[in-house]
Amino acid sequence: MKALVKEKADVGLWLKDVPEPELGISDVLIKVKRAAICGTDMHIYNWDDWAQNTIPVPMVVGHEFVGEIVKVGSNVIDFHPGQIVSGEGHVVCSRCRNCMAGHRHLCAHASGIGVNWPGAFAEYVALPMSNVWEHRPGIDLDVASLFDPLGNAVHTALQWDLLGEDVLITGAGPIGSMAAAVCRHAGARHVVITDVVPERLETAKKLGATRTVDVRNQNLKDVQAELGMIEGFDVGLEMSGNSSALNDLIENMCHGGKVSILGIQTKGAEINWETVIFNMLTIKGIYGREMYATWYKMSVMVENGLDISPVITHRLPYQEFQEGFDLMNAGEASKVVLNWEA
């Protein structure tokens, strides 16, 4: 089969012929229809320090996808050929304390699909049946391919009660922009999102942000006054991985405000702990999705009108993957979806 492979320890990916995945007795074989490029894939493509320390070479990469089941193992009774599915990107051990307690998203020994488990930038991918999520009939395949990153947005946003609340999101990348859509869908009043890239802010506005802020020339205190806010934001979602943005968020929270942090901060990043303590803020780190509460919430919200399609800026046949990665590296794309049926 054709697959995008990190073939050698260097910048780039290579379209290669590789063997089809072997199917275990509890596995499901999926013919990939769409697969999206994400930030993790960019780290792998650019072969940065994280990738060099994490990715085994050679490795089929990619983990955001949707496809059709074509074969199941002999132990599989809940799935059958013809179903349209995506896959949870973390393969858990099932034996650690958290897995045994039903908290699989907290597994201490999880493997990542497309990271250290064969990925989905390929014609076929095989997954354990416990990682397969069936989509509701008629779902747009491009949207379905984004359930992995949408799950990050949903998991981050829905940590807190959002109905009637004022929300600040720092970072208008794809996940931050989708989080804006989730917050509006969940009943937030003001959804303010910050960034330094006008195109990203415009995408966030299309997805439901009620106010976009270019922090190069706008101040959040002034924005609060403009909106008639008196005591600061109730909920903060840090999506940028930028310490200045995180501190800006903390300084603009109300007393008792709730903060979710998804953006990975650089080593040694500092925050104003006095503000955190004296303003009695609650800060929670977020990684991945809850298995499978987040997936259920995603499906229900999409079924009931949540529209994340504006986050997709480019659709390409998989043979043109290089253009997609070039667009991402140039900052000219939000989500690029590769069509593996092309």
Side-chain angles (χ1 to χ4, degrees), residues 4-324:
L4 292 184
V5 181
K6 174 57 80 170
E7 186 180 29
K8 55 187 176 180
D10 200 354
V11 174
L13 293 174
W14 292 266
L15 185 60
K16 306 293 292 184
D17 287 306
V18 302
E20 290 186 12
E22 295 183 4
L23 193 66
I25 62 173
S26 298
D27 294 343
V28 171
L29 184 65
I30 301 163
K31 183 174 176 57
V32 176
K33 290 179 173 288
R34 307 285 190 277
I37 301 173
C38 83
T40 300
D41 303 319
M42 298 308 300
H43 288 293
I44 297 171
Y45 179 93
N46 291 319
W47 203 234
D48 62 13
D49 289 342
W50 171 85
Q52 292 177 36
N53 292 324
T54 307
I55 307 300
V57 176
M59 166 65 69
V60 177
V61 299
H63 61 275
E64 299 179 2
F65 77 97
V66 63
E68 180 181 347
I69 295 176
V70 293
K71 189 177 181 181
V72 300
S74 59
N75 265 6
V76 179
I77 59 173
D78 295 330
F79 295 102
H80 56 81
Q83 290 174 299
I84 300 299
V85 299
S86 288
E88 164 58 47
H90 296 126
V91 181
V92 301
C93 73
S94 299
R95 298 302 303 170
C96 70
R97 175 183 177 183
N98 282 314
C99 284
M100 294 291 285
H103 308 306
R104 288 181 285 179
H105 63 289
L106 299 176
C107 176
H109 311 292
S111 299
I113 295 170
V115 175
N116 42 29
W117 183 286
F121 283 158
E123 292 184 278
Y124 296 94
V125 62
L127 299 179
M129 62 179 175
S130 57
N131 277 69
V132 178
W133 182 263
E134 182 185 5
H135 288 292
R136 295 171 186 260
I139 190 169
D140 180 280
L141 292 179
D142 292 345
V143 169
S145 73
L146 302 183
F147 262 46
D148 183 292
L150 174 59
N152 289 329
V154 170
H155 190 194
T156 306
L158 297 189
Q159 293 298 314
W160 320 110
D161 182 10
L162 295 173
L163 182 61
E165 301 287 63
D166 296 325
V167 181
L168 173 60
I169 303 172
T170 46
I175 297 176
S177 295
M178 287 190 286
V182 172
C183 291
R184 287 292 290 165
H185 193 81
R189 181 174 68 159
H190 298 305
V191 179
V192 177
I193 190 165
T194 68
D195 209 295
V196 296
V197 180
E199 292 80 6
R200 286 186 167 189
L201 292 170
E202 186 60 33
T203 297
K205 187 174 182 181
K206 292 177 182 177
L207 281 156
T210 59
R211 180 68 159 84
T212 60
V213 179
D214 188 330
V215 293
R216 296 173 301 178
N217 50 46
Q218 295 175 292
N219 184 285
L220 279 172
K221 297 295 185 185
D222 295 335
V223 171
Q224 286 190 58
E226 172 194 318
L227 297 176
M229 295 173 56
I230 299 172
E231 297 185 2
F233 291 91
D234 306 296
V235 174
L237 311 178
E238 207 307 289
M239 305 294 210
S240 71
N242 182 289
S243 61
S244 295
L246 174 58
N247 278 290
D248 209 15
L249 182 148
I250 287 172
E251 293 297 328
N252 284 277
M253 297 300 297
C254 69
H255 281 224
K258 311 293 193 300
V259 178
S260 297
I261 301 180
L262 181 75
I264 299 174
Q265 301 294 311
T266 57
K267 290 183 178 179
E270 297 181 358
I271 65 174
N272 188 338
W273 287 107
E274 287 189 3
T275 302
V276 173
I277 294 166
F278 290 125
N279 290 0
M280 295 165 285
L281 303 183
T282 300
I283 299 179
K284 185 170 184 179
I286 305 296
Y287 178 65
R289 298 143 298 278
E290 288 194 43
M291 303 175 200
Y292 281 84
T294 302
W295 288 84
Y296 178 79
K297 291 173 183 176
M298 285 189 279
S299 289
V300 170
M301 285 191 290
V302 169
E303 184 182 19
N304 285 277
L306 177 67
D307 183 14
I308 61 167
S309 60
V311 80
I312 304 170
T313 54
H314 297 81
R315 296 169 172 85
L316 299 169
Y318 75 87
Q319 297 92 337
E320 298 177 17
F321 74 94
Q322 187 62 58
E323 180 182 350

